[in-house]
């Protein structure tokens, strides 16, 4: 079965510190990889995606993600966290010809 | 900006009622999707549509049906609401092609009593 794991339900980080939200996946083939963010009482917003090429992908709001094919991981990172980054983050993969598979989500809390 | 709107933000219904959730997108997207979001489970696909009058079952279609009579509108129907359908429902749309992201509506939080 195809699956996406986000091993941490909750990540706490101090404002100004770097943050990492982890994602690993188990799907067939070479999927496309995505990160979305959900603020309270809102729908999901697209952050970034990996299609091909450079393993480090840059996206919205200063976020970036690193693709590691051998570890089947796609971790989300930001060099300096802001309180306003506090939200629910979803990793998603899309195998070619199939629909999205979403992870369970990781709640990020950035403490002032 | 892409806009995906959903007819209600909050909805309270009684067991056995028929429930309609409407979704409209303004970007001429071919693809539209309905998900439900539950804590710890992420998003699960209920139904999707790649074209007008076309629909396909997702991972959890039981108890739901959909309608897509116009390209911009995708409706989710709960034929007879049950308490286990209490959830957040998210509509999304996107262009064709697996490398394209989806655009989400604000969600409808449905409570079935």
């Amino acid at each position: 079965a195809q699956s996406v794991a986000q091993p941490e339900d909750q990540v706490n980080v101090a404002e100004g510190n770097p943050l990492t939200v982890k994602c690993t996946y188990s799907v067939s083939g070479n999927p496309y990889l995505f990160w979305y963010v959900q603020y309270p009482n809102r729908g999901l917003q697209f952050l970034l995606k990996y299609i091909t090429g450079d393993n480090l992908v840059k996206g919205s709001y200063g976020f970036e993600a690193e693709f590691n094919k051998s570890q089947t991981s796609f971790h989300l990172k930001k060099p300096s966290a802001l309180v306003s980054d506090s939200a629910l983050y979803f990793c998603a993969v899309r195998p070619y010809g199939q629909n999205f598979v979403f992870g369970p989500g990781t709640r990020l809390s950035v403490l002032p | 900006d892409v806009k995906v709107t959903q007819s209600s933000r909050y909805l309270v219904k009684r067991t056995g009622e028929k429930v309609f959730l409407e979704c409209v997108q303004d970007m001429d997207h071919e693809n539209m999707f309905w998900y439900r979001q539950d804590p710890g489970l992420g998003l699960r696909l209920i139904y999707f549509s790649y074209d007008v009058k076309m629909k396909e079952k997702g991972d959890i279609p039981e108890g739901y049906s959909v309608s897509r009579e116009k390209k911009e509108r995708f409706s989710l129907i709960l034929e007879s609401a049950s308490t286990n359908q209490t959830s957040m429902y998210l509509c999304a749309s996107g262009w064709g092609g697996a490398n394209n992201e989806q655009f989400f509506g604000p969600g409808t939080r449905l409570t079935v009593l």
Side-chain angles (χ1 to χ4, degrees):
Chain A
Q2 313 209 78
S3 63
V4 177
Q6 293 179 241
E8 298 152 320
D9 294 334
Q10 172 99 27
V11 170
N12 297 319
V13 63
E15 188 174 29
N17 283 1
L19 70 86
T20 299
V21 182
K22 295 179 180 178
C23 172
T24 59
Y25 60 91
S26 175
V27 300
S28 56
N30 297 312
Y32 303 115
L33 307 169
F34 300 78
W35 275 101
Y36 289 84
V37 60
Q38 185 179 35
Y39 297 102
N41 299 315
R42 304 282 295 275
L44 276 66
Q45 294 179 31
F46 168 73
L47 274 180
L48 51 78
K49 64 183 176 183
Y50 174 82
I51 303 301
T52 187
D54 193 349
N55 289 346
L56 187 65
V57 179
K58 294 189 184 297
S60 306
Y61 313 122
F63 283 93
E64 55 191 29
E66 187 167 14
F67 168 59
N68 187 314
K69 186 174 183 178
S70 63
Q71 296 185 4
T72 60
S73 67
F74 190 52
H75 300 332
L76 182 69
K77 301 181 180 185
K78 189 174 182 181
S80 179
L82 300 173
V83 172
S84 57
D85 293 329
S86 299
L88 188 57
Y89 289 81
F90 289 96
C91 180
V93 303
R94 194 168 193 185
Y96 185 78
Q98 300 181 48
N99 285 310
F100 279 86
V101 179
F102 285 85
T106 297
R107 188 163 300 281
L108 173 67
S109 291
V110 181
L111 309 172
Chain B
D1 277 354
V2 174
K3 197 162 188 180
V4 181
T5 57
Q6 296 184 227
S7 50
S8 305
R9 294 299 304 273
Y10 300 93
L11 211 50
V12 180
K13 296 292 182 181
R14 296 205 174 274
T15 301
E17 281 192 83
K18 191 169 187 175
V19 182
F20 293 87
L21 303 182
E22 303 257 315
C23 175
V24 178
Q25 52 95 1
D26 67 356
M27 280 301 292
D28 204 35
H29 288 155
E30 298 96 340
N31 303 339
M32 296 190 75
F33 307 82
W34 275 106
Y35 296 90
R36 64 177 282 175
Q37 179 184 3
D38 299 287
L41 296 178
L43 276 68
R44 292 180 291 167
L45 182 63
I46 304 172
Y47 267 96
F48 62 99
S49 170
Y50 288 160
D51 202 351
V52 177
K53 296 193 185 292
M54 176 269 182
K55 58 186 177 183
E56 292 284 346
K57 293 179 179 179
D59 299 320
I60 52 164
E62 296 78 18
Y64 304 94
S65 62
V66 290
S67 172
R68 193 168 182 198
E69 296 297 317
K70 293 185 178 182
K71 190 174 187 179
E72 68 271 18
R73 189 179 298 269
F74 193 35
S75 303
L76 180 70
I77 303 153
L78 286 66
E79 296 290 343
S80 178
S82 63
T83 55
N84 61 13
Q85 293 179 308
T86 292
S87 187
M88 170 71 92
Y89 289 88
L90 293 168
C91 174
S93 70
W95 287 285
N99 59 340
N100 288 315
E101 62 271 25
Q102 294 183 347
F103 297 87
F104 284 82
T108 296
R109 186 165 294 281
L110 173 67
T111 301
V112 182
L113 302 176

